[in-house]
Amino acid sequence: MSDKVDIQLNHEPTMDELNGFDHVILAIGTHNMDLLMSVENSNVVSSWNILNGQEVSGKCVALGGGLVGA
């Protein structure tokens, strides 16, 4: 298990980069909101689901920042 955290600022990931993760966590707002795309049966998770107890494992990426992303 790696304890390394790679932080990239001002970087827009490509689909190939995102597909390399087991889960993509969208941390894109201070309020829970409906995502703009269908995420059912995908590896995309709202940060609010994580904060409410949903577990993820494997190689994950958090998109967004601020308090929710941290």
Side-chain angles (χ1 to χ4, degrees):
M1 181 170 165
S2 174
D3 292 325
K4 179 183 174 194
V5 175
D6 181 14
I7 298 174
Q8 297 184 20
L9 303 176
N10 301 313
H11 173 74
E12 186 172 332
T14 66
M15 289 301 282
D16 286 337
E17 288 175 303
L18 294 177
N19 286 329
F21 292 95
D22 296 311
H23 288 93
V24 176
I25 303 166
L26 297 181
I28 54 173
T30 58
H31 301 284
N32 195 7
M33 59 185 267
D34 292 330
L35 300 177
L36 301 175
M37 71 287 230
S38 174
V39 295
E40 289 186 38
N41 301 316
S42 76
N43 66 338
V44 178
V45 181
S46 166
S47 60
W48 291 98
N49 292 359
I50 301 296
L51 292 171
N52 285 322
Q54 180 176 343
E55 293 185 21
V56 294
S57 62
K59 187 176 178 184
C60 300
V61 61
L63 300 180
L67 186 58
V68 175

